[in-house]
């Protein structure tokens, strides 16, 4: 498949005479796909049952005549004012009880029956009209589901939460047991007493909060499924996507992935942060990993500066192309932007676009056009294969760990990102995995040599990881792994009840640490947490300064399992990743590259990118600032 190139196109913001110029300039820039209608609801519908598609007919026809395909949005992200005025129950509420009013965007409660009904009517009407339009090659559901309003605490949400809990637990006794409500006199006598975790005097029940986060993610999943079903009910065959936001904490994207034919990501690395290409690489690798073998598109990025940081730097010359080629090198089949033409009014008028307000005679438009030509010259790209390293990412862990009352507070996602970064800095490719999938998609079945599971605190099912080690894989875990069950409860008999035999140890206690309190004899500090271990077969590789085990290794089945009894910072992760890579013979894509130079492999295609603002010597040649090379 040739690579898609283009951006969000919002023609409703412009008079019709501008549309022709848009198509002409799109062609000049090498655009072949436009995402249309993301925020067009108010333009399409003036009132309940009153649809006006005549303008959109003309837009789609014009694009089609110009040879530009359309990723047609369902437009459900921002209900028009008439809808919220008539049905105020659509509006979400914050934890404090404040209403989120219309006047910006995405002000809908995901569980609101009125929102769902009106959104469904819109999707029905749009799909009915355009399912056979020759321009439409993809359907784009909603926009960044969960963005701005991640949690809704309204009365409507309370009703939906209770119904979700009834489905999950069947009886109130089962819920009381799961949540441990004998503690602090929280016992419920019926489901109707339950409210979302609104403002409370002190920390709220942790299992209840965890379930509320699961429920909230599930409400967005229901919206995705609702729209997908409508699209498919008309027999529309185009692939379906929705734009995600990297490892967005509130939404479990492992649950979204099976619903999608194309995975899409929105990504806005800060051009001023010299290290921001690394978390960007993490997001690219996550998108490639969410549904292996499925195309993924970088659906939104900025051609130049954004307008929503307190201070917004421009991208340096070449930086936009460097970050785009990073996505291509890491498997992307499309490079898109928010947005095509810079708005002249409204909240995003200072956000860059492919076509700046100052017109095509600008550096931005020149760079956009150069990239369009460069992507075209790549032709059909090879599929991205699997890596040898996998890093576990669990939304359940994120939701259970981002809570009060633990031995220490730390950010789970930055641990996962940090481990990815350690391998990325070595130019060793890594995938992200959901460690609890069993069967054909189990991690062991993918031929990984190494699985790193940072703080896998909450586990439902350890079988896939146990089997992975038994069959010869290397598992590396860090402190706070295998601590609780699915409902955030300790298991009887201590900690590490499921992975203990594989790790050759038991964790018997935890403490929070600061400064050098958890210094590890390999020469790096442990951070946040330290565990007390009782060894049962594991060998000590490194100790804390009091001689207690800090890092262990245990041969199990045909493989081995390592455990770090603290959390590693950047220095520790770098040292450990290098050690594991050498031990397991994991090869970098290109060896010996200087700092800030990235190499990506995609089939036979190798992309080398200089993310430095200065020239470097890499692989026997000089790369200018933000310059890249593609080798086949
Ligand atoms: C995204 C959003 C776009 C646009 C962009 C600006 O979150 O989907 O519509 O607002 O941010 O960076």
């Amino acid at each position: 498949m040739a690579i898609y190139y283009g951006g969000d196109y919002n023609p409703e913001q412009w008079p019709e005479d501008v549309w022709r110029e848009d198509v002409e300039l799109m062609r000049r820039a090498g655009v072949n796909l436009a995402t249309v209608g993301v925020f067009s609801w108010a333009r399409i519908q003036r009132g309940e049952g009153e649809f006006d598609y005549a303008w959109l007919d003309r837009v789609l026809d014009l694009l089609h005549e110009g040879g530009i395909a359309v990723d047609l949005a369902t437009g459900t992200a921002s209900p028009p004012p008439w809808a919220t005025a008539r049905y105020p129950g659509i509006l979400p509420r914050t934890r404090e009880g404040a209403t989120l009013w219309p006047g910006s965007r995405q002000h809908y409660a995901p569980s609101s029956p009125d929102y769902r009904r009106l959104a469904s009517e819109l999707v029905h009407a749009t799909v009915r009209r355009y399912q056979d339009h020759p321009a439409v090659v993809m359907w784009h559901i909603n926009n960044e589901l969960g963005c701005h309003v991640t949690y809704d605490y309204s009365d409507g949400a309370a009703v939906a939460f209770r119904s979700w809990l009834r489905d999950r637990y069947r009886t109130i006794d089962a819920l009381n047991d799961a949540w441990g409500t004998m503690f602090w006199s929280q016992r419920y006598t019926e489901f109707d007493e339950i409210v979302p975790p609104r403002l409370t005097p002190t920390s709220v029940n942790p299992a209840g909060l965890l379930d509320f986060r699961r429920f909230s993610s599930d409400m967005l999943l229901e919206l995705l499924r609702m729209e997908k079903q409508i699209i498919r009910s008309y027999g529309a065959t185009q692939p379906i996507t929705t734009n995600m936001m990297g490892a967005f904490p509130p939404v479990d994207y492992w649950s979204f992935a099976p619903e999608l034919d194309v995975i899409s990501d929105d990504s806005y690395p800060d051009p001023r942060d010299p290290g921001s290409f690394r978390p960007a690489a993490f997001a690219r690798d996550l998108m490639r990993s969410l549904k292996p073998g499925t195309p993924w598109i970088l659906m939104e990025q900025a051609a130049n500066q954004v307008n929503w940081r307190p201070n917004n730097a421009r991208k340096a010359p070449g930086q936009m192309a460097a970050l785009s080629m990073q996505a291509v090198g890491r498997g992307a089949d499309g490079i898109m932007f928010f947005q095509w033409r810079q708005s002249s009014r409204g909240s995003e008028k200072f956000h860059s676009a492919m076509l700046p307000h100052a017109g095509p005679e600008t550096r931005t438009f020149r760079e956009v056009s150069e990239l369009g030509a460069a992507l075209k010259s790549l032709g059909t790209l090879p599929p991205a294969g699997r890596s040898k390293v996998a890093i576990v990412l669990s939304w359940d862990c994120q939701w259970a760990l981002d809570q009060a009352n633990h031995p220490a507070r730390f950010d789970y996602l930055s641990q996962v990102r940090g481990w990815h970064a350690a391998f990325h800095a070595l130019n060793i490719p890594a995938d992200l995995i959901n460690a609890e999938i069993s069967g054909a998609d189990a991690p062991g079945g993918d031929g990984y040599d190494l699985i790193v599971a940072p703080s896998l605190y909450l586990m439902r099912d350890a079988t896939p990881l146990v089997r992975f080690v038994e069959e010869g894989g290397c598992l590396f875990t860090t402190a706070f792994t295998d601590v609780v069950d699915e409902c955030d409860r300790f298991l009887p008999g201590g900690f590490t009840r499921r992975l203990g035999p594989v790790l050759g140890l038991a964790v018997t206690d935890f403490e929070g640490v600061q400064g050098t309190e958890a210094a590890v004899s390999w020469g790096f500090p442990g951070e946040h947490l330290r565990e007390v271990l009782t060894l049962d077969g594991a060998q000590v590789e490194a100790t804390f300064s009091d001689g207690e085990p800090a890092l262990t290794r245990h041969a199990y089945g045909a493989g081995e399992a390592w455990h770090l009894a603290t959390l590693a910072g950047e220095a520790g992760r770098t040292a450990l990743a290098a050690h594991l890579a050498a031990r397991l013979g994991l090869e970098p894509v290109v060896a010996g590259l200087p700092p800030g130079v990235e190499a990506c492999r995609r089939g036979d295609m190798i992309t080398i990118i200089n993310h430095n603002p200065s020239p470097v010597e890499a692989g026997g040649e000089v790369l200018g600032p933000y310059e890249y090379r593609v080798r086949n």
Side-chain angles (χ1 to χ4, degrees), residues 8 10 38-39 105-106 140 143-144 147-148 243-245 266-268 300-302 305-308 338-339 348 351-352:
D8 276 22
N10 299 306
V38 175
F39 289 105
R105 66 172 177 185
Q106 277 152 282
H140 185 103
N143 184 65
E144 295 188 339
C147 181
H148 305 311
N243 47 342
M244 299 188 260
M245 294 161 277
D266 295 352
S267 170
Y268 293 92
E300 284 185 23
Q301 63 169 335
Q305 71 275 56
V306 299
N307 69 328
W308 41 261
F338 173 83
Q339 58 178 332
E348 296 193 302
H351 194 292
S352 62

Side-chain angles (χ1 to χ4, degrees), residues 355-432:
L355 177 60
H357 185 63
E361 301 309 321
T362 46
R363 167 162 75 86
T364 302
F365 190 76
R366 263 193 306 281
E367 288 190 34
V368 161
S369 306
E370 278 163 19
L371 179 62
L375 293 174
K376 193 170 178 197
S377 73
L378 291 176
T380 302
L381 297 173
R386 289 291 174 99
S387 307
K388 291 282 171 204
V389 178
I391 295 156
V392 175
L393 170 59
S394 154
W395 266 270
D396 259 345
C397 281
Q398 151 69 22
W399 297 334
L401 285 172
D402 183 23
Q403 295 211 16
N405 305 331
H406 289 145
R409 238 178 142 165
F410 64 94
D411 177 7
Y412 169 75
L413 273 180
S414 61
Q415 293 293 318
V416 175
R417 280 203 186 92
W419 276 99
H420 179 273
F423 288 96
H424 183 254
L426 295 170
N427 279 305
I428 295 176
D431 297 342
L432 281 303

Side-chain angles (χ1 to χ4, degrees), residues 6-79:
D8 276 22
Y9 180 38
N10 299 306
E12 66 275 12
Q13 294 178 16
W14 298 95
E16 288 206 31
D17 53 357
V18 176
W19 301 352
R20 268 186 200 285
E21 188 195 48
D22 282 330
V23 174
E24 195 187 302
L25 289 172
M26 281 182 191
R27 290 171 64 90
R28 236 168 84 185
V31 166
N32 58 17
L33 184 69
T35 300
V36 181
V38 175
F39 289 105
S40 304
W41 193 346
R43 175 69 187 84
I44 290 174
Q45 234 188 320
R46 280 184 176 275
E48 207 162 351
E50 290 174 49
F51 295 92
D52 171 12
Y53 285 107
W55 68 278
L56 190 52
D57 292 350
R58 293 196 290 280
V59 171
L60 297 195
D61 291 347
L62 211 57
L63 287 166
H64 185 60
E65 282 160 28
I68 292 154
V70 170
D71 165 34
L72 189 56
T74 56
T76 49
S78 222

